[in-house]
Every structure is written in structure tokens, then in C-alpha cells.
Amino acid sequence: MQPWMSTPVPQLPGHGPPLRLYDTAAHRIRPTAPGPTARMYVCGITPYDATHLGHAATYLAFDLVHRYWRDAGHDVHYVQNVTDVDDPLLERAQRDQDDWVVLGMRETALFREDMESLRVLPPQDFVGAVEAIDEIVEVVSKLLAYGAAYRVEDPEHPDIYFDHQAAAHFGSESGYDEATMLRCAAERGGDPRRPGKRHPLDALMWRTAREGEPAWDSELGPGRPGWHVECCAIGLHRLGTGFDVQGGGSDLIFPHHEFSAAHAEALTGEYPMAEHYVHTGMIGYRGEKMSKSTGNLVFISRLRADQVDPMALRLALLSGHYRADRSWSSEMLDEAVLRLDRWRRAVARPAGVPVAETVHRLRAHLAEDLDTPGALAVLDAWAAETLTRGGRDVTAPGHVQAAVDALLGIAL
Ligand code: ZN
């Protein structure tokens, strides 16, 4: 698929310390150690509805990773998928008597616009499940041949499942016990009660054709792919194993990321699929997690239509820590508007207070597990001092403007 347009990223003098991120699998903050090209895979949208603030917060967090690595001198190979065929998309299309292909295209186009307006740097590879069917079929076929996947005993619908015991490190990504895994699988699109499976946890890899559903002809028989194998195939095909970061919202910890990792291990014999598993917190609104089931979604496109400055929106979402579950409120946006105004007035001054220490501290906060509240406080201090004391450094406003753009993605 065509990704969205990029914005230029200013080059700053010097570098910060290596980026450290919380790794879900290790239960602690660890340094990332990318090679000349850092490799990152972030799970993309299922395009049945518009991008809401929860999605935006996730992609913004990984945009900061992307930007920090670039600032550190790395190239970044960033891959993101689009789950453009799956149950939620088909169900929504049926509910609205819409064509699922057109619905997916429409919402993907809107997602691109939302990301562009928020100045999220685009992935190098933006890949739809439909365009990766051949890659996915190859993975499933190999896992069947290796005995790591099997067909359920159902003559009408002999769907293919992954035997979770085929990966020696199964469970190491989430660290969940079996009861938690079963609960999460049931809540998040798994089917622990499906008859004919070897084990309730085993995950769908290939769903054989059903009346009224799209299906692709393949050596597996006509059908469509499961979700976890989609990300495994798309990620491995472009990044290989042992890539630097696998990312997504914390609701992807299990089963999604666990199974993508297990598929990769059973397929390649290599472990781990990703060096870091990085997860973002959930955004709540009016006391509940923002989700389609509670109906409390705040859409980026709606806010844009209401003339909200996307930079204020970006700043509001960055004002909380990416890993924290946090609530959205209109007060957050009001505060961000005021903050943005102070920063813009400060960089519009002909001179400011010196910035070397400011940029150093900005990088240091971001390097420590993307401490954006700390990073924003550093910039608040510079802006407040410049606005009250003035300062004599004529290069300072330009430097701050470039640093805020390069590291935080905010155009002042
Ligand atoms: Zn994924």
C-alpha cells in the first residue's frame, strides 16, 4: 500500500544517550541496541472505523522511537501492516450493507490523512494483509509441514490452527499464566471453545472459505488468513528475525504478539522474533477505556473537522507517559493549546536563553523510556525563561524549534 507523506526532519548537532525502552518480555527497561539500520514493526489498524485517540497515542509513541533513532544517526526500517481482511471489518461492512473492500479503502485513506496531519513519520513498508496473502500462505504451509500447525477435525470447515506447544518459548513474551492467557484469548478475538482444536489456546492461522465471506485460492484450499500469522509473515519477510522493536497497544500483548512470536520461532528456529516488545497504555474517556464496545470513541478526523490544531492534539497526547493507561479530557487539549502558544511565542523571539543544556536534557528524558512529561517540562522551562528574561542567544529560538520538530514531531 502507499504510505502517507513524510515531513522533513531537521538534523540536530550531536546525539543523545542510547534509547532505553520498557520490554514487556523482560519486565524492565533495557537499552535498545540497533545496528546501522534500526528495525521496527508496529501493528496497524483494522480499517473498519476511523482512527481514534487511542490509536493515535500508540502511533505517536512509536513515532518518538523512530525519531529518536534517526536523531541517533540510524536509518530506520519501519514496517506497519493494515489488517484489511478480518472479522471486525467484514462484520461492520455487513451491518452497514457496505462493500468490505471499499470500507477498508475509505478508512485506510482517512487513517493516512490523520497520521499525516499529526506529522507521524510514515513506515517504509505499509502492507495490507490482502497484498501479503502469498507470504502468509507460505508461512502456514511450512508450519503445517513442520507439524507446528494442524487442521481441526471438522469435515465442513477444516480450519488450520497453530499448535502453541510447537514453540519452546511460548509464553515468554506476555509472561502470562494459562488462566490469564485463556481469558485474554476469549476477550480478544480468540476461540478457546472451538471444537476440534488440540488445545483451547491454539490460534487460527487459516480460515477455510465460508458462504458470503471473501476467500483466496491457495495450496491450503480457499480461505483467508488469521491475524497473528499476518503480522508474523509481513514482519519476518521484511525485517528478518531479531528485529529491534515489535510494538502495539497493551491489548496486543496476548494473544496477538505472543502468537506472532511463536509462529516465527516455530518457522525459523530462531528466538526471539523481536529484541523488545513495547506496549502502549490505553486511552480512556468518561471513565472507560476508549473502545467500540463502549461507544466512547473520540476520532482524530472529528477533532480535525472541529478545527483542532493537530499540533495541540499531538502535544496533549504526549503530555502523559505512553505506557500509562490515561484518560482523555477536553481540559488536556485546552492545556496543550496554551502550552503550544507559549512555546510558539518563545521561539518567535529574536533571541532566547541558551539551549545546549535544554536539548541535552530533552534527549535524556526521551532516552529514558520516552519520558515525555519530563521532556515537555524541560521545554516549558526554556520557554518561560525566554519569555520572562528574554535572553541574548540569537540562535536559541531556531535550535529549540528544530529540536521540538526533530524529536517530538511538533511544528512550532
Ligand atoms: Zn500485529
Side-chain angles (χ1 to χ4, degrees):
M1 288 184 169
Q2 194 66 28
W4 55 95
M5 295 288 285
S6 187
T7 44
V9 181
Q11 286 289 315
L12 307 177
H15 297 305
L19 176 63
R20 293 160 52 81
L21 290 173
Y22 185 87
D23 174 14
T24 300
H27 312 288
R28 63 187 169 85
I29 297 172
R30 300 168 47 228
T32 61
T37 299
R39 295 173 294 161
M40 174 162 73
Y41 186 98
V42 179
C43 292
I45 56 163
T46 301
Y48 64 90
D49 212 339
T51 320
H52 60 69
L53 286 167
H55 296 130
T58 292
Y59 298 115
L60 284 178
F62 294 101
D63 190 50
L64 295 190
V65 173
H66 193 165
R67 288 170 179 277
Y68 196 88
W69 277 338
R70 282 180 62 154
D71 181 61
H74 299 282
D75 288 327
V76 180
H77 189 171
Y78 177 18
V79 180
Q80 190 181 126
N81 66 307
V82 177
T83 305
D84 57 358
V85 58
D86 203 2
D87 294 348
L89 177 64
L90 301 176
E91 286 162 10
R92 178 61 63 94
Q94 192 172 35
R95 187 196 78 177
D96 297 347
Q97 300 197 319
D98 209 344
D99 177 330
W100 66 274
V101 177
V102 176
L103 171 63
M105 286 171 66
R106 199 166 61 226
E107 296 302 347
T108 304
L110 192 56
F111 174 72
R112 281 197 197 91
E113 275 180 35
D114 289 340
M115 292 296 104
E116 216 169 288
S117 76
L118 290 169
R119 299 181 92 239
V120 173
L121 297 175
Q124 178 179 329
D125 296 311
F126 188 51
V127 187
V130 170
E131 61 189 2
I133 295 276
D134 290 348
E135 297 170 32
I136 298 167
V137 166
E138 190 187 329
V139 170
V140 178
S141 300
K142 282 184 176 165
L143 290 175
L144 263 181
Y146 298 166
Y150 62 91
R151 288 188 185 271
V152 288
E153 291 163 20
D154 178 342
E156 203 184 346
H157 299 300
D159 302 331
I160 301 174
Y161 279 76
F162 181 74
D163 180 344
H164 75 286
Q165 289 168 336
H169 293 89
F170 183 84
S172 64
E173 181 269 336
S174 64
Y176 291 170
D177 59 26
E178 191 171 299
T180 309
M181 288 182 182
L182 282 168
R183 183 171 50 76
C184 289
E187 285 170 7
R188 298 172 184 165
D191 52 3
R193 291 170 184 275
R194 168 80 199 268
K197 294 194 335 182
R198 288 182 193 163
H199 190 284
L201 276 178
D202 292 351
L204 178 71
M205 299 193 99
W206 188 256
R207 179 177 161 91
T208 55
R210 308 296 204 267
E211 184 70 35
E213 290 186 10
W216 285 262
D217 277 326
S218 79
E219 61 192 271
L220 304 168
R224 60 181 169 94
W227 177 33
H228 318 314
V229 67
E230 168 192 335
C231 284
C232 167
I234 292 173
L236 286 187
H237 199 78
R238 288 158 188 81
L239 299 173
T241 55
F243 55 85
D244 296 289
V245 163
Q246 157 81 306
S250 59
D251 51 349
L252 301 191
I253 294 173
F254 194 92
H256 185 53
H257 285 173
E258 192 76 75
F259 271 97
S260 292
H263 296 341
E265 184 183 357
L267 183 73
T268 64
E270 289 176 38
Y271 171 85
M273 180 172 81
E275 291 293 333
H276 266 76
Y277 288 92
V278 179
H279 296 106
T280 57
M282 297 287 115
I283 302 292
Y285 185 54
R286 294 178 176 154
E288 287 184 276
K289 178 192 147 180
M290 204 173 280
S291 71
K292 69 170 188 300
S293 50
T294 45
N296 62 345
L297 302 175
V298 180
F299 296 116
I300 303 300
S301 40
R302 180 71 251 171
L303 293 167
R304 290 199 286 122
D306 291 341
Q307 308 299 318
V308 171
D309 181 343
M311 292 299 96
L313 193 50
R314 184 166 174 126
L315 198 49
L317 287 168
L318 295 182
S319 67
H321 191 259
Y322 80 95
R323 274 199 289 129
D325 290 336
R326 52 206 198 275
S327 281
W328 175 258
S329 65
S330 56
E331 290 77 27
M332 278 170 69
L333 190 56
D334 295 342
E335 274 173 38
V337 167
L338 294 175
R339 179 178 248 155
L340 194 61
D341 178 62
R342 283 196 302 275
W343 291 6
R344 281 180 171 155
R345 279 189 289 123
V347 300
R349 290 283 179 100
V353 294
V355 291
E357 186 61 17
T358 300
V359 174
H360 171 75
R361 288 174 56 212
L362 173 60
R363 281 177 168 143
H365 278 290
L366 291 173
E368 192 56 26
D369 198 29
L370 305 177
D371 171 18
T372 51
L376 268 47
V378 167
L379 293 159
D380 285 341
W382 179 85
E385 240 188 304
T386 294
L387 288 172
T388 52
R389 277 180 39 208
R392 284 202 292 262
D393 184 345
V394 294
T395 65
H399 277 155
V400 167
Q401 193 168 18
V404 169
D405 184 347
L407 292 165
L408 296 178
I410 291 169
L412 293 180

